[in-house]
Amino acid sequence: MSLQAHFMLMANYNQWMNARLYQAAAHLSAEQLRADRGAFFGSILGTLNHLIVGDIIWLKRFAHQPGHQAVLAPVVEMPMPASLDQVLFTDFALLSSRRRWLDDVICTWVGMLTDDDLALTLDYANTRGVVFRRKFSALLQHFFNHQTHHRGQVTTLLSQAGQDVGSTDLLALIADESDGV
């Protein structure tokens, strides 16, 4: 599997898992979504908002890479989140709509990347203004790992609230290569 194909798998997994989380979360009331459950970002709603905040910040950074600015332009035009715990959406329907839109943007953008793109380095500043230079493919792996990390938290919070997300395994999206064995 090429590096680009690997990241396309990660983008598809990201989209699939986000849809599963939001489907399960849709069964909860607004109060249940906002309830402080002791997670890093407090509530289910807070954690789902953090994932969107993180995506916006990273996609704005990734937009500086040559060649793919057009597909990320709508994200670049969005205001920069003020903090990692900023609640951008208190309304679950609006939050869900933004998540689906971002996942579509991510899948489209990753589908355009080449292995040459992934071999580049990217200069970026963290939220405190400290500048780093890192291999783009490693940053993209972090981007998807960040999602997986916090989705795991949301999966636990949903389970504690009585909602079953079902399978969360990447394996569900990996093709079976057996030939009848």
Side-chain angles (χ1 to χ4, degrees):
M1 175 184 298
S2 73
L3 197 52
Q4 194 284 332
H6 166 74
F7 286 118
M8 196 67 238
L9 174 64
M10 299 312 309
N12 289 331
Y13 173 68
N14 181 62
Q15 185 173 46
W16 178 72
M17 273 308 306
N18 282 333
R20 295 176 72 83
L21 283 185
Y22 277 80
Q23 183 179 18
H27 295 288
L28 299 176
S29 69
E31 293 76 28
Q32 290 172 305
L33 291 169
R34 285 193 308 267
D36 188 341
R37 297 173 184 275
F40 290 169
F41 296 94
S43 64
I44 293 168
L45 190 72
T47 306
L48 293 174
N49 267 280
H50 170 70
L51 283 165
I52 288 178
V53 165
D55 283 0
I56 291 168
I57 290 169
W58 277 107
L59 291 171
K60 284 176 170 287
R61 292 170 181 160
F62 294 153
H64 295 290
Q65 184 181 6
H68 302 288
Q69 293 92 344
V71 71
L72 295 178
V75 178
V76 170
E77 294 169 6
M78 296 170 64
M80 180 62 87
S83 66
L84 295 175
D85 62 352
Q86 182 178 354
V87 174
L88 299 172
F89 300 95
T90 56
D91 179 87
F92 183 73
L94 292 174
L95 178 71
S96 182
S97 176
R98 179 52 51 105
R99 177 75 269 161
R100 285 189 307 273
W101 177 79
L102 273 173
D103 287 342
D104 286 342
V105 168
I106 291 165
C107 285
T108 299
W109 170 64
V110 170
M112 297 171 66
L113 295 174
T114 66
D115 283 339
D116 287 342
D117 293 327
L118 295 166
L120 297 173
T121 58
L122 181 70
D123 294 330
Y124 70 95
N126 69 12
T127 57
R128 291 181 295 279
V130 179
V131 176
F132 296 91
R133 171 176 268 200
R134 298 224 166 99
K135 185 167 271 242
F136 176 64
S137 60
L139 294 173
L140 192 54
Q141 185 63 43
H142 166 75
F143 174 77
F144 287 119
N145 189 62
H146 177 260
Q147 283 261 355
T148 301
H149 167 68
H150 288 296
R151 275 197 309 265
Q153 293 172 337
V154 174
T155 300
T156 298
L157 298 175
L158 287 168
S159 178
Q160 291 170 349
Q163 297 301 311
D164 182 11
V165 175
S167 174
T168 61
D169 290 338
L170 174 63
L171 188 59
L173 298 184
I174 297 173
D176 183 355
E177 300 291 334
S178 66
D179 42 340
V181 179

